[in-house]
C-alpha cells in the first residue's frame, strides 16, 4: 500500500466571533497533502478552523475528525488528554486554542521539502509553526515546532512537544531500549501499546541516554520483523532531559516527544521564538531492515560529519597505561602500533593538571594545561613524534566538567551546577560546569581551542562522565532556574558547532562515560560515538545490533580489548564490523595475538568502504539465536561482506546473505581466518548472488566465541 506524507496545501481565512476568542465556522473542511515516497500523514482543517490529523497508515476521506485527533493539541480549552502545548499567558490564562492560518513549501538543493504549517490563537498574539522536512526518496522526515508570541509580558511554556504524531489504536507495538553504564542497548523491549500512557524519559540533564534511549521503533502490524511489516523509527535529536510518551486514548495512539516538561517551564519573552528539538522519523513498509538502510543513508548526508569518508583504525593508550604514563611511555607505543597497521593514536585521560595533577580521577579536571612532569614540552612534541612515524594523533578532553581539586574550582566555585544550602554531591569526583553562564561558555571554548590548535592534533574524544543531580544555577535568576535543563543543551550545541566549524579537519568522537550521549542532536557535530565502556565482544555483538537500527556502523566505535577474556580473533572480528579501534598494550601482546590483530587491521582496511558506506542487512538476531549474522553490500552491489558471530554452542547451518545482485558472480573468501581452523567448504568458489542468497554460506565458525568474516567479490 502506497503511503504519502499528506499535509494541507492551502491558506484559510478565519473570521472571529464577536467575542474575539473563538473561531467561527468555515464553509467546508479542507484537506492537505505533501508527499514522501511511501509515508502518509493526512491533515484536515475542521469547520472550527482547528487542524486535525488522521492516524498514520489510515486513509478515510469521509472520516469526521474528533477533538482527540487534533494535530498539535493544546491544554486548557476543552482538551482532556496529554497536550503537546501548555501555555500560561502573560495575564495568567492557562488555555490556548490554535487555528489554522497558512501553509508554505520550500525545497533545498539536497532534494528535501520543508513544509511549514502556521497556526495561531485568535484570542492571544501567539503563533505556532509546525515544521516538516521531508526526504522523499528515503522516507525520512524531521519534525519540529516553533513558538512565538507578542503579548505584553513573558508567557510560560510548560509543555512544548516536538511532535504529536497520531497512529492507529490497534496492533501498535513499541520497541525501546533500556540500559545503564556498561549495559547500554542490551535490553530491547517490544510490547503492545495499551490504553493509558507509556513514558520513556530522562531527567538527567546531561548524559541523558544513560538509562533510557530517545530512539525507538513503532510497528503497526504487530511485533516488528526485519523484512516485513510497517515500521516507523523515531529518534529525538536532543542531548538533554527528554520525554517520549505514547498515549492510547481509545480511538488512536499519540506519540508526544520532545524536551521533558519536568522542571523545565520556560519563560518566553515577547518576540522571542522557542524552537523545539527536531524529531526524526524513518518509515518502511518492508520491516526494520529497509527502515535502517533509509535512516543510515540519511545520516551519512545529514546526521553526522563526513558521512562519506571511511574511518581510520585507532589505538587508545588507556588499557595500556591508565593514568600512569609520561612522554617516553607513550612514545614507546607508537612503533608497535604503526608496525601492526594502526593509523591513528589517541592519548586518553591524564595528560593535564599541574597544581592538581591528573594522576587519578580525583583531581585536575578544568585545568587544561599539559602536566609539566609528564610532558615537559607540552603536547606538540608528542603529536609530532606520532606524525613522524606515520600516525595521526588524537587527544581526550572533558570540557564540561571540573574536579573540586582543581585551580579552576578554587578560582570559580560559583561556576558549577549545584543547589544552594546543600552539600555538594559528586559523581566520579567531579561536577558539571554551568554552561548557561557566559564566562563558562568562553572558558570552555578557550580550553577547546587551545587543545585542538596544537599542531598535528587531528582527532579528539569529547567525554562527559556524569549527569545532573543538583540542578541549580547561580547565574540564572530565581524565576529562571527551570531554564537550566534547556539552556545548557543549547549552549552545548553552540560550543560543539563552533568546534566543528573552527576545526573542520579534526575528527571528533562523542563519548559520555559510555553511551550516555548517543543522539542525532549531538552527532551532527561529530564523526562517531562511543557506545559503551563495556567492550566484551560477546556483548558488543548485541549492542551494535541494536544501535544499528538507528545509526550507521561507521558511527559506532568498536574497540578490541581484553574485557571478558575472549579470543583475540573473535574480538577483532566484532570490531571490524563497525569502526575499528584497539585498547591494548601492544608491547605486551603475544606474537600470536599480534598476528591476528595485524591480519584484522589489513582486512578492515580492505572492506571498510563496503561496511561503512554500503547497505546493512541484519540476518540472524543474536538476541534470539546461538549466532548473530549480518552482511554489507557496496552501493554498486559488486562486493559484499558477511559477518557470522557464534555466541554459544548450538545448531550450525548456512548464513543467507541478502541484498546481492542475483546475476553477479561472487567469489567467496574468508578474511583473516582464525589460526588452525578448517577452511570454509565454499572457500574460493564462485557463485551467483541468487545462489548465495538461496543456498547460503557455511561459515568456518562452529563453536562458541568463534567468528567468520567473509568477503564476496565480483
Amino acid at each position: 500500500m502506497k503511503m504519502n506524507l499528506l499535509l494541507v496545501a492551502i491558506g484559510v481565512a478565519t473570521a472571529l466571533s464577536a467575542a474575539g476568542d473563538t473561531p467561527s465556522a468555515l464553509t467546508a473542511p479542507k484537506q492537505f497533502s505533501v508527499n514522501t515516497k511511501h509515508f502518509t500523514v493526512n491533515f484536515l482543517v475542521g469547520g472550527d478552523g482547528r487542524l486535525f490529523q488522521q492516524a498514520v497508515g489510515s486513509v478515510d476521506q469521509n472520516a469526521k475528525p474528533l477533538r482527540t485527533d487534533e494535530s498539535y493539541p493544546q491544554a486548557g480549552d476543552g482538551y482532556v488528554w496529554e497536550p503537546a502545548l501548555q501555555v500560561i499567558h502573560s495575564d495568567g490564562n492557562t488555555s490556548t486554542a490554535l487555528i489554522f492560518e497558512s501553509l508554505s513549501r520550500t525545497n533545498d538543493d539536497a532534494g528535501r521539502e520543508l513544509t511549514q504549517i502556521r497556526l495561531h490563537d485568535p484570542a492571544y498574539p501567539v503563533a505556532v509553526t509546525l515544521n516538516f522536512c521531508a526526504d522523499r526518496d528515503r522516507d525520512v522526515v524531521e519534525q519540529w515546532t516553533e513558538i512565538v508570541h507578542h503579548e505584553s509580558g513573558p508567557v510560560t511554556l510548560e509543555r512544548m512537544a516536538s511532535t504529536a504524531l497520531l497512529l492507529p489504536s490497534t496492533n501498535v507495538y513499541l520497541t525501546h531500549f533500556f540500559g545503564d553504564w556498561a549495559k547500554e542497548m542490551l535490553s530491547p523491549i517490544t510490547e503492545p501499546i495499551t490504553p493509558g500512557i507509556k513514558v520513556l524519559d530522562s531527567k538527567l540533564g546531561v548524559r541523558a541516554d544513560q538509562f533510557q534511549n530517545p530512539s525507538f521503533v513503532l510497528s503497526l502490524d504487530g511485533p516488528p520483523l526485519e523484512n516485513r511489516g510497517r515500521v516507523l523509527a523515531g529518534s529525538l535529536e536532543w542531548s538533554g532531559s527528554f520525554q517520549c510518551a505514547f498515549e492510547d486514548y481509545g480511538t488512536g495512539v499519540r506519540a508526544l516527544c520532545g524536551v521533558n516538561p519536568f522542571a523545565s517551564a520556560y519563560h518566553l519573552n515577547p518576540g522571542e521564538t522557542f524552537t523545539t528539538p527536531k524529531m526524526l522519523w524513518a518509515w518502511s513498509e518492508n520491516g526494520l531492515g529497509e527502515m535502517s538502510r533509509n535512516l543510515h543513508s540519511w545520516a551519512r548526508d545529514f546526521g553526522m560529519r563526513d558521512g562519506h569518508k571511511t574511518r581510520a583504525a585507532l589505538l587508545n593508550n588507556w588499557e595500556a597505561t591508565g593514568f600512569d604514563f609520561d612522554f617516553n611511555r607513550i612514545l614507546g607505543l607508537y612503533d608497535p602500533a604503526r608496525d601492526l597497521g594502526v593509523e591513528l593514536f589517541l592519548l586518553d585521560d591524564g595528560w593535564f593538571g599541574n597544581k592538581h595533577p591528573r594522576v587519578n580521577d580525583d583531581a585536575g579536571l578544568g585545568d587544561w594545561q599539559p602536566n609539566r612532569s609528564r610532558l615537559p614540552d607540552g603536547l606538540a612534541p608528542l603529536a609530532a613524534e606520532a606524525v613522524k612515524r606515520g600516525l595521526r594523533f588524537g587527544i581526550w578532553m572533558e570540557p564540561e566538567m571540573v574536579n573540586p581539586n582543581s585551580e579552576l574550582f578554587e578560582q570559580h566555585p560559583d561556576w558549577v551546577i549545584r543547589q544552594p544550602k546543600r552539600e555538594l554531591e559528586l559523581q566520579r569526583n567531579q561536577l558539571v560546569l554551568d554552561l548557561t553562564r557566559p564566562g563558562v561558555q568562553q572558558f570552555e571554548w578557550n580550553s577547546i581551542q587551545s587543545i585542538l590548535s596544537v599542531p598535528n592534533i587531528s582527532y579528539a574524544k569529547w567525554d562527559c562522565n556524569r549527569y545532573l543531580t543538583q540542578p541549580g544555577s547561580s547565574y540564572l535568576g530565581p524565576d529562571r532556574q527551570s531554564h537550566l535543563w534547556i539552556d545548557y543543551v543549547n549552549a552545548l550545541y553552540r560550543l560543539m558547532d563552533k568546534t566543528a566549524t573552527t576545526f573542520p579537519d579534526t575528527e571528533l568522537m562523542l563519548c559520555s562515560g559510555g553511551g550516555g550521549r548517543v543522539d542525532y542532536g549531538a552527532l551532527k557535530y561529530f564523526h562517531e560515538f562511543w557506545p559503551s565502556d563495556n567492550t566484551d565482544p560477546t556483548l558488543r555483538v548485541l549492542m551494535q545490533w541494536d544501535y544499528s537500527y538507528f545509526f550507521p556502523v561507521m558511527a559506532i566505535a568498536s574497540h578490541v580489548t581484553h574485557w571478558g577474556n575472549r579470543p583475540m580473533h573473535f574480538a577483532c572480528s566484532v570490531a571490524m564490523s563497525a569502526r575499528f579501534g584497539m585498547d591494548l598494550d601492544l608491547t605486551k601482546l603475544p606474537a600470536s595475538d599480534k598476528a591476528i590483530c595485524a591480519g584484522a587491521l589489513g582486512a578492515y582496511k580492505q572492506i571498510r568502504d563496503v561496511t561503512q558506506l554500503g547497505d546493512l542487512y541484519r540476518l540472524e538476531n543474536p538476541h534470539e539465536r546461538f549466532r548473530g549474522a549480518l552482511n554489507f553490500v557496496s552501493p554498486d552491489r559488486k562486493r559484499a561482506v558477511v559477518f557470522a558471530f557464534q555466541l554459544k554452542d548450538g545448531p550450525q547451518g548456512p548464513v543467507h546473505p541478502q541484498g546481492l545482485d542475483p546475476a553477479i558472480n561472487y567469489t567467496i573468501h574468508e578474511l583473516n581466518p582464525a589460526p588452525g581452523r578448517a577452511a570454509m567448504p565454499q572457500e574460493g568458489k564462485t557463485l551467483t548472488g541468487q545462489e548465495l542468497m538461496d543456498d547460503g554460506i557455511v561459515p568456518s565458525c562452529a563453536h562458541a566465541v568463534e567468528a567468520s568474516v567473509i568477503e564476496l567479490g565480483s
Side-chain angles (χ1 to χ4, degrees):
M1 176 172 61
K2 182 176 180 181
M3 304 174 117
N4 302 310
L5 175 64
L6 270 179
L7 304 176
V8 191
I10 65 168
V12 176
T14 303
L16 301 184
S17 68
D21 59 357
T22 58
S24 65
L26 298 176
T27 56
K30 305 294 182 181
Q31 293 186 351
F32 311 170
S33 68
V34 165
N35 299 326
T36 67
K37 188 180 290 183
H38 302 109
F39 184 51
T40 302
V41 182
N42 293 319
F43 286 93
L44 172 77
V45 176
D48 59 357
R50 296 182 187 273
L51 183 67
F52 298 93
Q53 182 213 312
Q54 283 191 347
V56 170
S58 64
V59 178
D60 186 350
Q61 302 294 339
N62 299 315
K64 294 183 179 180
L66 304 173
R67 185 64 192 275
T68 51
D69 300 336
E70 197 164 355
S71 63
Y72 193 73
Q74 313 97 52
D77 186 33
Y79 188 81
V80 297
W81 307 97
E82 287 294 303
L85 181 67
Q86 186 173 3
V87 176
I88 301 176
H89 296 278
S90 59
D91 64 0
N93 191 330
T94 59
S95 68
T96 301
L98 296 178
I99 60 173
F100 180 83
E101 181 177 305
S102 66
L103 179 143
S104 64
R105 297 188 188 90
T106 55
N107 293 277
D108 66 15
D109 294 338
R112 297 176 298 174
E113 182 177 67
L114 174 63
T115 299
Q116 296 181 297
I117 304 173
R118 295 177 179 85
L119 313 172
H120 73 272
D121 189 323
Y124 288 90
V126 174
V128 172
T129 302
L130 308 180
N131 298 275
F132 300 82
C133 183
D135 189 319
R136 175 182 171 82
D137 291 336
R138 295 182 176 102
D139 286 323
V140 171
V141 176
E142 286 183 290
Q143 182 182 358
W144 69 99
T145 304
E146 296 170 338
I147 305 163
V148 66
H149 77 95
H150 296 280
E151 297 189 19
S152 59
V155 305
T156 302
L157 306 179
E158 296 199 321
R159 288 178 181 265
M160 46 286 198
S162 300
T163 180
L165 199 66
L166 275 175
L167 296 102
S169 60
T170 59
N171 213 26
V172 178
Y173 278 69
L174 170 68
T175 300
H176 56 103
F177 304 86
F178 179 79
D180 194 354
W181 177 83
K183 300 175 184 176
E184 298 91 336
M185 297 297 273
L186 275 179
S187 302
I189 301 163
T190 296
E191 58 187 323
I193 295 181
T194 57
I197 303 177
K198 173 71 176 185
V199 176
L200 312 176
D201 80 339
S202 170
K203 302 179 182 71
L204 304 182
V206 299
R207 206 166 181 239
D209 301 2
Q210 179 164 340
F211 302 112
Q212 296 282 1
N213 196 286
S215 298
F216 56 85
V217 177
L218 294 162
S219 48
L220 276 60
D221 301 308
L225 300 172
E226 190 66 26
N227 296 310
R228 296 197 311 275
R230 298 170 299 167
V231 292
L232 181 65
S235 189
L236 184 66
E237 301 179 30
W238 185 243
S239 304
S241 298
F242 65 85
Q243 183 184 87
C244 299
F246 308 91
E247 182 175 22
D248 182 346
Y249 49 80
T251 60
V253 172
R254 189 182 294 280
L256 288 156
C257 306
V259 297
N260 197 327
F262 171 77
S264 295
Y266 205 87
H267 305 280
L268 195 65
N269 292 322
E272 185 180 2
T273 298
F274 184 93
T275 302
T276 71
K278 292 181 178 179
M279 185 68 195
L280 183 64
W281 297 110
W283 172 263
S284 168
E285 294 182 344
N286 299 297
L288 296 164
E290 181 182 81
M291 175 204 80
S292 295
R293 288 186 288 277
N294 287 342
L295 192 47
H296 297 171
S297 177
W298 174 89
R300 283 191 284 264
D301 278 350
F302 307 112
M304 58 190 299
R305 291 177 60 198
D306 295 331
H308 296 278
K309 295 181 180 179
T310 57
R311 305 313 197 213
L314 175 151
L315 175 69
N316 188 313
N317 71 292
W318 183 252
E319 295 296 327
T321 68
F323 287 108
D324 185 17
F325 64 84
D326 59 14
F327 180 91
N328 289 326
R329 178 73 177 96
I330 297 301
L331 195 65
L333 300 176
Y334 287 170
D335 287 344
R338 177 203 58 203
D339 295 344
L340 211 61
V342 170
E343 300 162 302
L344 167 63
F345 183 89
L346 170 62
L347 179 63
D348 212 289
D349 196 356
W351 56 268
F352 52 91
N354 287 291
K355 180 179 179 182
H356 301 277
R358 183 73 168 174
V359 296
N360 52 44
D361 64 10
D362 289 341
L365 279 179
D367 299 343
W368 297 106
Q369 299 80 38
N371 180 273
R372 289 186 292 270
S373 297
R374 295 180 168 185
L375 305 173
D377 298 313
L379 291 170
L382 204 57
E385 289 294 333
V387 171
K388 280 183 186 178
R389 289 160 172 79
L391 297 170
R392 291 169 51 203
F393 185 82
I395 195 71
W396 178 94
M397 59 183 183
E398 195 175 6
E400 301 161 72
M401 302 292 164
V402 63
N403 287 125
N405 292 327
S406 67
E407 291 186 80
L408 177 64
F409 186 79
E410 290 172 352
Q411 296 167 9
H412 300 286
D414 57 329
W415 278 15
V416 300
I417 293 174
R418 63 177 300 181
Q419 292 286 9
K421 302 181 181 179
R422 308 297 178 194
E423 184 178 351
L424 278 177
E425 202 239 12
L426 305 181
Q427 289 181 359
R428 201 172 179 258
N429 305 306
Q430 63 193 62
L431 299 163
V432 184
L433 292 170
D434 182 1
L435 263 175
T436 68
R437 183 182 288 273
V440 170
Q441 296 172 22
Q442 188 61 51
F443 168 80
E444 291 194 24
W445 169 242
N446 290 343
S447 300
I448 293 168
Q449 188 176 38
S450 175
I451 294 167
L452 298 187
S453 294
V454 173
N456 295 313
I457 288 182
S458 61
Y459 182 97
K461 176 182 176 182
W462 184 318
D463 215 337
C464 172
N465 276 299
R466 71 155 294 173
Y467 50 79
L468 298 184
T469 52
Q470 296 177 316
S473 168
S474 62
Y475 173 75
L476 297 173
D479 63 339
R480 294 294 188 271
Q481 289 298 305
S482 58
H483 287 207
L484 175 62
W485 304 92
I486 295 170
D487 288 352
Y488 182 100
V489 179
N490 286 328
L492 176 66
Y493 286 163
R494 290 192 295 271
L495 192 63
M496 290 175 168
D497 182 50
K498 194 172 184 179
T499 302
T501 302
T502 306
F503 299 96
D505 299 322
T506 300
E507 194 174 349
L508 297 178
M509 174 199 276
L510 185 65
C511 183
S512 187
R517 187 180 275 169
V518 181
D519 58 80
Y520 279 111
L523 186 59
K524 62 186 164 188
Y525 307 113
F526 289 76
H527 294 76
E528 63 179 305
F529 62 85
W530 183 238
S532 178
D533 283 345
N534 188 337
T535 52
D536 181 338
T538 63
L539 297 179
R540 277 301 186 96
V541 169
L542 305 173
M543 290 178 177
Q544 290 168 200
W545 179 278
D546 291 341
Y547 276 119
S548 77
Y549 288 125
F550 311 102
F551 303 98
V553 300
M554 69 188 307
I556 304 173
S558 186
H559 289 191
V560 180
T561 74
H562 290 301
W563 192 312
N565 294 315
R566 310 303 183 184
M568 186 60 65
H569 183 268
F570 185 85
C572 286
S573 299
V574 173
M576 286 168 60
S577 67
R579 190 263 166 82
F580 191 98
M582 306 177 76
D583 283 78
L584 297 169
D585 187 347
L586 301 183
T587 65
K588 298 179 180 178
L589 204 62
S592 57
D593 282 351
K594 280 187 179 180
I596 291 171
C597 291
L601 282 161
Y604 170 74
K605 296 173 186 178
Q606 182 177 331
I607 62 173
R608 60 184 165 189
D609 61 325
V610 179
T611 59
Q612 296 177 11
L613 306 180
D615 285 332
L616 167 65
Y617 293 83
R618 290 180 294 265
L619 309 177
E620 298 179 14
N621 190 332
H623 290 286
E624 301 171 353
R625 311 178 77 162
F626 293 95
R627 183 173 66 189
L630 59 156
N631 74 270
F632 300 87
V633 182
S634 64
D636 62 8
R637 297 211 288 173
K638 292 182 179 180
R639 297 171 61 208
V641 182
V642 180
F643 291 86
F645 304 116
Q646 192 73 30
L647 298 175
K648 301 176 183 178
D649 289 329
Q652 313 300 325
V655 173
H656 293 267
Q658 298 176 16
L660 306 180
D661 187 323
I664 285 182
N665 290 320
Y666 296 91
T667 300
I668 303 167
H669 176 59
E670 182 169 9
L671 298 174
N672 194 35
R677 192 186 303 170
M680 296 188 306
Q682 295 149 300
E683 175 67 35
K685 292 184 178 180
T686 299
L687 300 170
T688 67
Q690 191 65 60
E691 290 171 323
L692 286 165
M693 290 188 289
D694 288 344
D695 301 332
I697 305 167
V698 179
S700 65
C701 54
H703 302 289
V705 205
E706 291 184 347
S708 294
V709 182
I710 306 161
E711 184 177 30
L712 306 176
S714 63

